[in-house]
Amino acid sequence: MWQLYHFPLCPFSRKVRLALGEKGIAYDLLRENPWEGREEFFALNPTGKTPVLRHSEKDVVLIDSQAICEYFEETVDKTPLILGTAANRAEIRRLTALFDESFFADVTNPILQEKMKKRIIYRAAPDSGLLRETIRLLHEHLDYMDWLIDNRRWLAGAQLSLADFAAAAQISVVDYLGGVDWRGHEGAHGWYRVMKSRPSFRPLLLDKMEGLPPPRHYSDVNA
Amino acid sequence: MWQLYHFPLCPFSRKVRLALGEKGIAYDLLRENPWEGREEFFALNPTGKTPVLRHSEKDVVLIDSQAICEYFEETVDKTPLILGTAANRAEIRRLTALFDESFFADVTNPILQEKMKKRIIYRAAPDSGLLRETIRLLHEHLDYMDWLIDNRRWLAGAQLSLADFAAAAQISVVDYLGGVDWRGHEGAHGWYRVMKSRPSFRPLLLDKMEGLPPPRHYSDVNA
Ligand SMILES: N[C@@H](CCC(=O)N[C@@H](CS)C(=O)NCC(=O)O)C(=O)O
Ligand SMILES: N[C@@H](CCC(=O)N[C@@H](CS)C(=O)NCC(=O)O)C(=O)O
């Protein structure tokens, strides 16, 4: 059985959970708080980051959400998520990287820092100036998503792909930690509602971070 | 013809140049300084980052060094760089991500900031405390590389792979900007000498950043 080392608000673990869900692969969840720097976890992954996916019998340890998703793309035929021509696949990987890297650095990571870590680890107040700047960048990203959705059926083209799941994983963390103000972003909002209503999303919407309840609308697939 | 938007010390552009060199794919270099935020460049790549690889006739624009390398892996048979079983390929992608992400964040990016950007853009003095901490992290990464090389023929296993080129690309930038002190890192040093002497490395060793000459040993494949 596969075991996923994760914490509920890790966007990269969420991306992997969505991909595994779509592909119908079962796994157990193991809770890991990477900020605790547990020695046994560093022995498993020298970067100390979640997610790590381990197979207890097969002696396989997979690290890095993209490497994990590529592995299942190569080994499981069900629901291809990196699909189409080589150029389509490059576009899927470009957008996946954009959300994993730029959206995470601009938006998800500062929000995790200010609203999760400061609350449950450091017991400090969030920096409101920094949060304002983060919200500004969130709206720039949502503008870009609106533009993509105006021009394409899904984010990376005609087919649902890993880019949609990478984006939804990041956004779901932001939405958990205070909600996304969708006004002016009808395109992206409609897309997110569709993503939220997929069966693979269900376990994510029910997951809770202790001491940090999500807003009411978070798990409402119509909100 | 392919055109690569890059600047000489961009480690991700170097990774792409090494992969293209190994695969025997010709390209022209176009100089782009991402920190200038050129509007036409943002229109090409909304994240404003180098590298971008564009094919003038085929109307293909490839973005993100990993998406670019995967594209050529899928379309060009010569010199596979992501090879072996699915588990081998996952290990190659794990280590490639480790160098692209953790090594870059811990070492290359602060060194580019302190020694390149402060020198040629901001005309400010580097922060010596920050540089000391960066060098400490560099040695931690080199310790890990020594361990890999002690246990394997190449970084990711029995075969030369993209992980070796991703690592060498990062290290070559650090070496350009002041040199790596290899004392105590015989394993990693021997590996880097072998990497430097590959024909694909040659153009990188001759490339210069204006106003910022490399140290003497930099282009010496025996140093
Ligand atoms: N490229 C990695 C990124 C993983 C990552 O950054 N994980 C974060 C959690 S969201 C982490 O573990 N950071 C270390 C920490 O918080 O101490 C992936 O896609 O898996
Ligand atoms: N994941 C990207 C990272 C590219 C990246 O971070 N490029 C840097 C240059 S080394 C950049 O353009 N940064 C923006 C800036 O310097 O303004 C890739 O692999 O291509």
Side-chain angles (χ1 to χ4, degrees):
Chain A
M1 181 71 140
W2 291 102
Q3 301 182 308
L4 183 71
Y5 293 77
H6 88 124
F7 64 95
L9 293 181
C10 170
F12 305 102
S13 304
R14 288 182 164 234
K15 172 185 163 196
V16 167
R17 292 167 73 183
L18 291 170
L20 292 176
E22 293 291 329
K23 289 186 169 286
I25 296 160
Y27 58 93
D28 286 329
L29 286 171
L30 292 183
R31 176 59 181 271
E32 185 70 42
N33 294 331
W35 54 88
E36 291 173 4
R38 213 165 50 87
E39 241 178 77
E40 293 85 348
F41 188 60
F42 265 92
L44 204 57
N45 179 6
T47 70
K49 294 181 185 175
T50 51
V52 170
L53 188 68
R54 179 190 208 165
H55 199 290
S56 32
E57 292 88 52
K58 281 195 228 163
D59 191 33
V60 179
V61 179
L62 303 176
I63 289 168
D64 184 75
S65 68
Q66 191 60 19
I68 296 171
C69 291
E70 300 272 359
Y71 176 90
F72 288 102
E73 211 48 33
E74 293 178 354
T75 55
V76 177
D77 289 334
K78 192 181 169 203
T79 328
L81 296 173
I82 306 176
L83 70 180
T85 64
N88 294 148
R89 295 160 64 89
E91 178 65 358
I92 292 166
R93 292 193 179 101
R94 170 183 83 85
L95 283 171
T96 301
L98 185 151
F99 289 103
D100 285 0
E101 194 177 306
S102 300
F103 191 104
F104 177 70
D106 291 343
V107 182
T108 320
N109 200 32
I111 289 193
L112 278 170
Q113 187 65 31
E114 297 302 315
K115 294 202 167 180
M116 182 192 81
K117 294 197 181 170
K118 283 203 177 166
R119 174 83 166 268
I120 66 173
I121 311 170
Y122 310 117
R123 315 221 169 249
D127 176 333
S128 55
L130 199 150
L131 278 176
R132 255 196 311 278
E133 171 61 7
T134 302
I135 296 302
R136 192 184 66 72
L137 293 173
L138 166 62
H139 286 290
E140 280 190 12
H141 279 282
L142 292 174
D143 286 340
Y144 183 55
M145 294 177 73
D146 289 335
W147 180 85
L148 290 172
I149 285 297
D150 256 10
N151 288 281
R152 304 165 164 190
R153 174 121 178 61
W154 298 95
L155 293 182
Q159 312 275 344
L160 173 69
S161 80
L162 188 58
D164 297 287
F165 292 105
Q170 298 289 334
I171 288 181
S172 72
V173 174
V174 176
D175 201 35
Y176 186 110
L177 289 171
V180 172
D181 178 359
W182 293 105
R183 277 173 300 173
H185 303 291
E186 279 65 37
H189 193 188
W191 163 89
Y192 185 58
R193 272 208 214 88
V194 172
M195 295 304 292
K196 267 213 295 198
S197 62
R198 294 186 73 82
S200 64
F201 230 95
R202 193 101 198 106
L204 274 63
L205 295 178
L206 297 175
D207 224 7
K208 299 230 166 24
M209 190 80 190
E210 55 287 350
L212 209 58
R216 271 269 193 79
H217 75 271
Y218 167 73
S219 57
D220 177 354
V221 294
N222 299 311
Chain B
M1 182 70 139
W2 292 102
Q3 301 182 307
L4 182 70
Y5 293 77
H6 88 124
F7 63 95
L9 293 180
C10 169
F12 305 101
S13 304
R14 288 180 165 236
K15 172 185 163 196
V16 167
R17 292 166 74 182
L18 292 169
L20 292 175
E22 292 291 329
K23 288 186 170 285
I25 295 160
Y27 57 93
D28 286 329
L29 287 171
L30 292 184
R31 176 60 181 272
E32 186 69 42
N33 294 331
W35 55 87
E36 290 174 4
R38 215 165 48 87
E39 240 178 78
E40 294 84 347
F41 188 61
F42 265 93
L44 205 57
N45 180 5
T47 71
K49 294 182 186 174
T50 50
V52 170
L53 189 68
R54 180 190 208 165
H55 199 291
S56 31
E57 292 88 51
K58 281 195 228 162
D59 190 35
V60 179
V61 179
L62 303 175
I63 288 168
D64 184 74
S65 68
Q66 191 59 18
I68 296 171
C69 291
E70 299 273 1
Y71 176 90
F72 288 102
E73 211 47 33
E74 294 178 355
T75 55
V76 177
D77 288 334
K78 192 181 169 203
T79 329
L81 296 173
I82 306 176
L83 70 180
T85 65
N88 294 147
R89 296 160 63 88
E91 179 65 359
I92 292 166
R93 292 192 179 101
R94 170 183 83 85
L95 283 171
T96 302
L98 185 151
F99 290 103
D100 285 359
E101 195 178 305
S102 299
F103 191 105
F104 177 71
D106 291 342
V107 182
T108 320
N109 199 32
I111 289 193
L112 277 170
Q113 186 65 31
E114 297 303 316
K115 294 202 167 180
M116 182 192 81
K117 294 196 183 170
K118 282 201 177 166
R119 175 82 168 268
I120 66 174
I121 311 170
Y122 310 118
R123 316 221 168 249
D127 176 334
S128 54
L130 198 150
L131 278 176
R132 254 196 312 278
E133 170 61 8
T134 301
I135 297 301
R136 193 184 66 71
L137 292 173
L138 166 62
H139 285 289
E140 280 190 12
H141 279 282
L142 292 174
D143 286 339
Y144 183 55
M145 295 177 72
D146 289 336
W147 180 84
L148 290 172
I149 285 297
D150 256 12
N151 287 281
R152 304 166 163 189
R153 174 121 178 61
W154 298 96
L155 293 182
Q159 312 275 344
L160 173 69
S161 79
L162 188 58
D164 298 287
F165 293 104
Q170 297 288 334
I171 288 181
S172 72
V173 174
V174 176
D175 201 36
Y176 186 110
L177 290 170
V180 173
D181 178 0
W182 293 105
R183 276 172 301 174
H185 302 290
E186 279 65 38
H189 193 188
W191 163 89
Y192 186 58
R193 272 207 215 89
V194 172
M195 294 304 293
K196 267 212 295 196
S197 62
R198 295 187 72 82
S200 64
F201 231 94
R202 194 96 200 110
L204 274 63
L205 296 177
L206 297 175
D207 224 7
K208 300 231 166 22
M209 191 80 190
E210 54 288 351
L212 208 58
R216 270 269 194 78
H217 75 273
Y218 166 73
S219 58
D220 178 355
V221 295
N222 301 309

